[in-house]
Amino acid sequence: VSPTAASVASLAAVPDTGPVPRHVAIIMDGNGRWAKARHLPRVAGHKAGVEAVRRVTRAARAMGVEALTLYAFSSENWRRPEDEVRFAPDLVALVDDAMAKTAANTGPILVIALNYGSQAELVAATRRLAARAAAGEIDPAAITADDIEAELDTADLPPLDLVIRSSGEQRLSNFLLWQAAYAELLFIDTLWPDFTGDTLADAIAAFGQRQRRYGGL
Ligand code: IPE
Ligand code: IPE
Ligand code: MG
């Protein structure tokens, strides 16, 4: 996504509340409960959740976040009823098309995590490293944390600074387990479809007040 004049203008309007996280990841949870509270089918919650994605993506860009990773569908979400997990061919084509159309974009990065699971990501990374070790290309004793990071789906992204989960649940649900090692965690009661640009601004302000020590003093 390339920055526009409007986003530059709103960037200037953001009050100085401390450092802005370079990479924010959001577990977008609570669509089903939002719908249930309105006596609507769960899919209505997912639809409303799409609007929240638009609001939050715009707000993140305006606030100067370099990378926004949104957890949209976990590798465990296949356990849901079929009508909620249909990756129909036309949907897959839309995703491919969106990636192709934005591949050459400069500016902030939007990552949508689909069929993502952190443990599967680590298993795949481990297998690639093990294969290279078995082929004699690398020495197992010389494998470093950087080598592992280079094999993760997030290899090209800035370090993860902030993980936000909506809907009041306080768990990671197999999201970015390695990457969250020193990320700040923020659990917000708001259900995802009610999430606004202001909710994100509040979260980023709270991040700005955190003291990160990385094990030091
Ligand atoms: C988040 O909302 C969307 C996905 C996990 C795909 P949920 O569908 O999990 O909503 P709740 O948790 O049932 O309210
Ligand atoms: C996590 O939410 C996955 C996404 C938001 C995509 P879930 O609703 O699937 O998580 P659990 O099952 O409550 O842990
Ligand atoms: Mg949920």
Side-chain angles (χ1 to χ4, degrees):
V1 212
S2 29
T4 63
S7 74
V8 171
S10 44
L11 183 62
V14 174
D16 186 13
T17 47
V20 170
R22 294 182 65 197
H23 182 181
V24 177
I26 306 182
I27 303 171
M28 308 184 289
D29 199 12
N31 294 355
R33 278 161 283 168
W34 183 94
K36 194 176 179 195
R38 286 161 182 75
H39 308 285
L40 294 169
R42 289 179 55 85
V43 69
H46 296 317
K47 264 195 168 164
V50 171
E51 291 311 312
V53 168
R54 292 188 210 282
R55 291 193 295 269
V56 167
T57 302
R58 289 193 185 109
R61 183 177 68 176
M63 283 181 274
V65 172
E66 288 173 51
L68 177 67
T69 298
L70 302 176
Y71 202 11
F73 189 90
S74 78
S75 47
E76 287 69 40
N77 285 144
W78 292 107
R79 294 174 185 155
R80 295 184 178 204
E82 198 188 314
D83 62 338
E84 205 170 322
V85 303
R86 269 201 200 119
F87 274 84
D90 60 336
L91 178 62
V92 176
L94 279 171
V95 171
D96 288 343
D97 188 48
M99 290 196 327
K101 274 188 179 142
T102 56
N105 282 11
T106 55
I109 300 166
L110 175 64
V111 179
I112 314 267
L114 287 171
N115 190 24
Y116 173 81
S118 187
Q119 290 183 340
E121 176 192 33
L122 284 162
V123 168
T126 304
R127 284 184 181 152
R128 284 192 293 271
L129 288 170
R132 279 162 56 197
E137 290 165 24
I138 55 170
D139 172 7
I143 293 174
T144 64
D146 284 346
D147 294 330
I148 293 172
E149 284 185 1
E151 294 294 333
L152 300 180
D153 298 347
T154 48
D156 297 330
L157 299 173
L160 181 60
D161 289 318
L162 174 62
V163 177
I164 301 169
R165 184 170 189 148
S166 60
S167 89
E169 306 294 353
Q170 300 193 12
R171 55 178 170 262
L172 291 175
S173 300
N174 202 15
F175 189 48
L176 301 176
L177 302 180
W178 171 286
Q179 296 86 340
Y182 271 102
E184 295 298 322
L185 308 181
L186 199 56
F187 300 99
I188 298 179
D189 286 337
T190 306
L191 301 174
W192 178 251
D194 292 326
F195 216 96
T196 66
D198 284 345
T199 321
L200 183 70
D202 289 347
I204 286 179
F207 170 87
Q209 302 308 309
R210 298 275 180 98
Q211 235 200 346
R212 304 179 82 187
R213 285 189 282 269
Y214 300 97
L217 295 178

